Amino acid sequence: MQFSKSTGYALHALVYLAGANPGTNLGIRELAEFLGVSESYLSKVMSKLRQGGLVRSAPGVSGGYELAHPAGNITFRAVIEIVEGRQPLYECARFEEHRHSLFRKQGARGHAARECLVQSVMNGAEQELQAYLRAHTIQWVLDNARLSKHANTRG
Amino acid sequence: MQFSKSTGYALHALVYLAGANPGTNLGIRELAEFLGVSESYLSKVMSKLRQGGLVRSAPGVSGGYELAHPAGNITFRAVIEIVEGRQPLYECARFEEHRHSLFRKQGARGHAARECLVQSVMNGAEQELQAYLRAHTIQWVLDNARLSKHANTRG
DNA sequence: ATATTGTGGATATAATTGATCCGCGATCGG
DNA sequence: CCGATCGCGGATCAATTATATCCACAATAT
Ligand code: SF4
Ligand code: SF4
């Protein structure tokens, strides 16, 4: 139960892109060198990000990548969902085709029928996780970092 | 990024054990049949739970498993940690040996030196996840389930 | 046109997970 | 004590996923 390395690559690449001058395209070469990963592999990750709408790409001379949105609009959650895919933290394996009774008590009213309790806990946990990830953006990292290129004028 | 099936097996097995009469040992056969999984594989999972101190086991005739603690003391978090192992949701791959500056601003005081911001977000998210999982126990599932064996006297 | 640069399919390799087998030892009833 | 029962754990294997690379192709600027 761990995020893949691809997710790490994606996050770092986006932070790097966000730290670059807007309007400039960064090539896969520079990104890959900075991250210490092969261009071949990183290009796969970047393609995912492009398909997910987080970055734009341009082929040809002086082509490369740039953020498709302000860094403040790119949440960790979005990045992870694009790279890892949209899969729940836990999926019911339908043990013995539900010949059990681990469902929430049905109150007097019949609504909320047959909500599984194991799923309920796992989904609740996942909600907490995602809420936190949605609350943090690429920009947040830049804001809190001591970036040398932005120069700390206060010395 | 998904919990393994083993975790699902473990959770369901514990719920089943918790629902059984205290003092009785449930054999691997009954558990495996209920969960619809092979005895061989489930026994591995149960061994982990035993090593983790969540269940007790007894060999020999009329042997089997029983909870080592009240179901109210067994949190989802504990189960998952035992089965999945204690590994962080995200580990730094030390891209290019940290030749970047994505660390938290060092305030006037020098404390909290060099805290990585990417890690910070991921760890924060993990804390949220675990807090939720710690807040829910096996007993919680039983309390909220409509268990037929406990008979709803008001029915 | 041509060098450049991202795209995406195919492929290869490594790592992890899921699953099974079997000999061992502990336990208990007789 | 004896032997049937039952959990333990090492070895092994298959399936799946993650990681990584290669190459033909298309798009772009000059
Ligand atoms: S308790 Fe929930 S997760 Fe488990 S088998 Fe039933 S429906 Fe599926
Ligand atoms: S930003 Fe954090 S996670 Fe990324 S390489 Fe630096 S220390 Fe590691």
Side-chain angles (χ1 to χ4, degrees), chain A residues 12, chain B residues 90 92 95 98 100 102-103 116 118-119:
Chain A
H12 286 77
Chain B
Y90 180 73
C92 170
F95 298 112
H98 297 168
H100 59 315
L102 297 181
F103 294 95
C116 163
V118 175
Q119 288 274 11

Coordinates of all heavy atoms in Angstrom, one line a residue, chain A residues 12, chain B residues 90 92 95 98 100 102-103 116 118-119, ligand 2:
Chain A
H12 N 7.0 15.8 -8.5 CA 8.2 16.6 -8.5 C 8.3 17.4 -9.9 O 8.8 18.5 -9.9 CB 9.4 15.7 -8.3 CG 9.6 15.3 -6.9 ND1 8.8 14.3 -6.3 CD2 10.4 15.7 -5.9 CE1 9.2 14.1 -5.0 NE2 10.1 15.0 -4.8
Chain B
Y90 N 4.3 7.2 1.2 CA 5.2 7.8 0.2 C 6.6 7.9 0.8 O 6.8 8.4 1.9 CB 4.7 9.1 -0.3 CG 5.7 9.7 -1.3 CD1 5.7 9.2 -2.6 CD2 6.5 10.7 -1.0 CE1 6.5 9.7 -3.5 CE2 7.4 11.3 -1.9 CZ 7.4 10.8 -3.2 OH 8.2 11.3 -4.1
C92 N 10.6 9.1 0.0 CA 11.4 10.0 -0.9 C 12.4 9.1 -1.6 O 13.0 8.2 -1.1 CB 12.2 11.0 -0.1 SG 13.4 11.9 -1.0
F95 N 15.6 12.2 -5.2 CA 15.9 12.6 -6.6 C 17.2 13.4 -6.6 O 17.3 14.4 -5.9 CB 14.8 13.5 -7.1 CG 13.5 12.7 -7.2 CD1 12.4 13.0 -6.4 CD2 13.4 11.6 -8.1 CE1 11.3 12.3 -6.5 CE2 12.2 10.9 -8.2 CZ 11.1 11.3 -7.4
H98 N 18.8 15.3 -3.6 CA 18.3 16.6 -3.0 C 19.0 17.8 -3.5 O 19.2 18.8 -2.7 CB 18.5 16.5 -1.4 CG 17.7 15.4 -0.8 ND1 17.9 15.0 0.5 CD2 16.8 14.7 -1.3 CE1 17.1 14.1 0.8 NE2 16.4 13.8 -0.3
H100 N 17.9 20.3 -4.7 CA 16.7 21.2 -4.9 C 16.5 21.9 -3.6 O 17.3 21.7 -2.6 CB 15.5 20.4 -5.3 CG 15.1 19.4 -4.3 ND1 16.1 18.5 -3.7 CD2 14.0 19.0 -3.7 CE1 15.5 17.8 -2.8 NE2 14.2 18.0 -2.8
L102 N 13.2 22.1 -1.9 CA 11.8 22.0 -1.5 C 11.6 21.7 -0.1 O 11.0 20.8 0.3 CB 11.2 20.9 -2.4 CG 11.2 21.2 -3.9 CD1 10.5 20.1 -4.6 CD2 10.5 22.6 -4.1
F103 N 12.2 22.5 0.7 CA 12.1 22.4 2.2 C 11.4 23.6 2.8 O 11.4 24.6 2.2 CB 13.5 22.2 2.8 CG 14.1 20.9 2.3 CD1 15.0 20.9 1.3 CD2 13.8 19.7 3.0 CE1 15.6 19.7 0.9 CE2 14.4 18.5 2.5 CZ 15.3 18.5 1.5
C116 N 11.0 18.3 4.4 CA 10.6 18.3 3.0 C 9.1 18.5 2.9 O 8.3 18.0 3.6 CB 11.0 16.9 2.4 SG 10.1 16.6 0.9
V118 N 7.1 18.0 0.1 CA 6.4 17.0 -0.6 C 6.0 15.9 0.4 O 4.9 15.5 0.5 CB 7.2 16.4 -1.8 CG1 6.4 15.2 -2.4 CG2 7.4 17.5 -2.8
Q119 N 7.1 15.5 1.1 CA 6.9 14.5 2.2 C 5.8 15.0 3.2 O 5.0 14.2 3.6 CB 8.2 14.2 2.9 CG 9.2 13.5 2.1 CD 9.0 12.0 2.2 OE1 8.0 11.5 2.8 NE2 10.0 11.2 1.7
Ligands
SF4_2 S1 11.3 17.2 -2.4 FE1 11.2 15.8 -0.6 S2 10.5 13.9 -1.5 FE2 11.2 15.1 -3.2 S3 13.4 14.5 -3.5 FE3 13.3 16.3 -2.1 S4 13.3 15.4 0.0 FE4 12.7 13.8 -1.5

